Protein backbone atom coordinates (compact mmCIF):
# COMPACT_ATOMS: atom_id res chain seq x y z
CA UNK A 1 0.00 0.00 0.00
CA UNK A 2 1.11 3.53 -0.74
CA UNK A 3 0.90 6.15 1.98
CA UNK A 4 1.63 9.79 1.32
CA UNK A 5 2.28 11.77 4.49
CA UNK A 6 1.35 15.41 4.09
CA UNK A 7 2.30 18.02 6.67
CA UNK A 8 0.35 21.27 6.66
CA UNK A 9 0.05 24.26 8.96
CA UNK A 10 -2.41 23.88 11.79
CA UNK A 11 -5.91 23.40 10.43
CA UNK A 12 -6.92 21.97 13.73
CA UNK A 13 -8.94 23.64 16.42
CA UNK A 14 -7.84 23.03 19.98
CA UNK A 15 -10.58 24.88 21.81
CA UNK A 16 -9.89 22.90 24.93
CA UNK A 17 -11.22 23.58 28.35
CA UNK A 18 -9.91 21.28 31.01
CA UNK A 19 -10.30 20.76 34.70
CA UNK A 20 -7.23 22.40 36.28
CA UNK A 21 -7.07 19.50 38.74
CA UNK A 22 -6.89 16.91 35.96
CA UNK A 23 -4.02 16.40 33.52
CA UNK A 24 -6.29 14.43 31.14
CA UNK A 25 -7.50 15.89 27.83
CA UNK A 26 -10.11 14.02 25.79
CA UNK A 27 -10.22 14.90 22.07
CA UNK A 28 -13.24 14.77 19.80
CA UNK A 29 -14.11 16.41 16.51
CA UNK A 30 -14.51 15.99 12.78
CA UNK A 31 -12.18 14.48 10.19
CA UNK A 32 -12.34 14.56 6.39
CA UNK A 33 -10.59 12.70 3.58
CA UNK A 34 -12.34 14.65 0.80
CA UNK A 35 -9.02 16.01 -0.54
CA UNK A 36 -8.22 12.51 -1.85
CA UNK A 37 -11.60 11.97 -3.56
CA UNK A 38 -15.09 10.84 -2.65
CA UNK A 39 -14.02 7.17 -2.44
CA UNK A 40 -11.65 7.84 0.50
CA UNK A 41 -13.11 7.44 3.99
CA UNK A 42 -11.48 8.05 7.40
CA UNK A 43 -10.44 4.76 9.00
CA UNK A 44 -8.28 5.83 11.97
CA UNK A 45 -6.94 8.85 13.84
CA UNK A 46 -3.84 8.77 16.03
CA UNK A 47 -2.60 11.64 18.21
CA UNK A 48 0.84 11.80 19.82
CA UNK A 49 1.73 14.51 22.34
CA UNK A 50 5.18 14.14 23.95
CA UNK A 51 4.96 13.01 27.58
CA UNK A 52 1.16 12.77 27.21
CA UNK A 53 1.73 9.71 25.04
CA UNK A 54 -0.20 8.44 22.05
CA UNK A 55 -3.80 7.37 21.67
CA UNK A 56 -5.83 6.42 18.62
CA UNK A 57 -9.33 5.53 17.56
CA UNK A 58 -10.79 3.54 14.72
CA UNK A 59 -13.27 5.42 12.53
CA UNK A 60 -15.82 3.36 10.64
CA UNK A 61 -17.05 5.96 8.17
CA UNK A 62 -19.25 5.46 5.12
CA UNK A 63 -18.51 8.96 3.77
CA UNK A 64 -15.39 11.12 3.38
CA UNK A 65 -16.32 13.22 6.45
CA UNK A 66 -16.95 11.74 9.89
CA UNK A 67 -16.98 12.51 13.60
CA UNK A 68 -14.83 10.79 16.22
CA UNK A 69 -14.57 10.91 20.00
CA UNK A 70 -12.59 9.50 22.87
CA UNK A 71 -8.88 10.05 22.20
CA UNK A 72 -7.37 10.51 25.67
CA UNK A 73 -3.97 12.06 26.40
CA UNK A 74 -2.39 12.40 29.84
CA UNK A 75 -0.50 14.07 31.42
CA UNK A 76 -1.05 17.33 29.53
CA UNK A 77 0.54 20.17 31.52
CA UNK A 78 -1.28 23.49 31.84
CA UNK A 79 0.13 26.50 30.07
CA UNK A 80 1.12 27.44 26.54
CA UNK A 81 0.58 23.99 25.08
CA UNK A 82 2.23 20.70 24.31
CA UNK A 83 3.49 20.01 20.77
CA UNK A 84 1.33 17.25 19.28
CA UNK A 85 0.85 15.44 15.99
CA UNK A 86 -2.39 14.05 14.60
CA UNK A 87 -2.29 11.41 11.85
CA UNK A 88 -5.52 10.67 9.97
CA UNK A 89 -5.56 7.53 7.82
CA UNK A 90 -7.88 7.62 4.81
CA UNK A 91 -8.67 4.41 2.92
CA UNK A 92 -10.11 4.02 -0.57
CA UNK A 93 -13.34 2.04 -0.69
CA UNK A 94 -12.45 1.14 -4.29
CA UNK A 95 -8.98 -0.41 -4.01
CA UNK A 96 -7.95 -0.24 -0.34
CA UNK A 97 -5.26 2.40 -1.00
CA UNK A 98 -4.26 4.34 2.14
CA UNK A 99 -3.45 8.06 2.30
CA UNK A 100 -2.50 10.06 5.40
CA UNK A 101 -3.00 13.61 6.58
CA UNK A 102 -0.53 14.70 9.26
CA UNK A 103 -1.17 17.82 11.37
CA UNK A 104 1.17 19.40 13.92
CA UNK A 105 -0.55 21.50 16.56
CA UNK A 106 -0.33 22.70 20.16
CA UNK A 107 -2.47 20.69 22.59
CA UNK A 108 -3.69 23.25 25.12
CA UNK A 109 -5.18 22.54 28.53
CA UNK A 110 -6.56 25.89 29.73
CA UNK A 111 -8.35 26.42 33.02
CA UNK A 112 -11.98 25.36 33.04
CA UNK A 113 -14.20 22.60 34.32
CA UNK A 114 -14.13 19.92 31.59
CA UNK A 115 -11.46 17.75 30.01
CA UNK A 116 -12.88 17.92 26.47
CA UNK A 117 -11.05 19.48 23.52
CA UNK A 118 -11.98 19.77 19.86
CA UNK A 119 -9.56 18.67 17.14
CA UNK A 120 -10.72 18.87 13.52
CA UNK A 121 -8.47 17.35 10.82
CA UNK A 122 -9.15 18.04 7.13
Amino acid sequence: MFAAALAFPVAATTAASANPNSDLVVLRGTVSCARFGAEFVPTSLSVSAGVAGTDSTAINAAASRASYAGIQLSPVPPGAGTPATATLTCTSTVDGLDQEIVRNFQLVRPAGNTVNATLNVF
Side-chain angles (χ1 to χ4, degrees):
M1 288 188 210
F2 172 78
L6 304 172
F8 293 92
V10 175
T13 304
T14 52
S17 62
N19 182 335
N21 297 318
S22 173
D23 58 7
L24 173 69
V25 174
V26 179
L27 297 174
R28 64 178 181 221
T30 304
V31 294
S32 175
C33 297
R35 71 174 50 220
F36 301 120
E39 74 276 11
F40 281 87
V41 296
T43 53
S44 68
L45 179 65
S46 175
V47 177
S48 176
V51 298
T54 300
D55 195 12
S56 62
T57 188
I59 303 170
N60 298 313
S64 62
R65 186 176 177 122
S67 297
Y68 75 92
I71 291 182
Q72 298 185 14
L73 299 166
S74 179
V76 177
T82 299
T85 301
T87 303
L88 173 64
T89 301
C90 302
T91 303
S92 171
T93 57
V94 174
D95 58 12
L97 177 72
D98 284 341
Q99 298 278 17
E100 289 184 339
I101 299 173
V102 178
R103 296 278 190 252
N104 295 310
F105 66 100
Q106 294 290 315
L107 180 62
V108 179
R109 186 175 69 91
N113 59 8
T114 73
V115 296
N116 297 312
T118 301
L119 173 66
N120 298 314
V121 181
F122 301 110

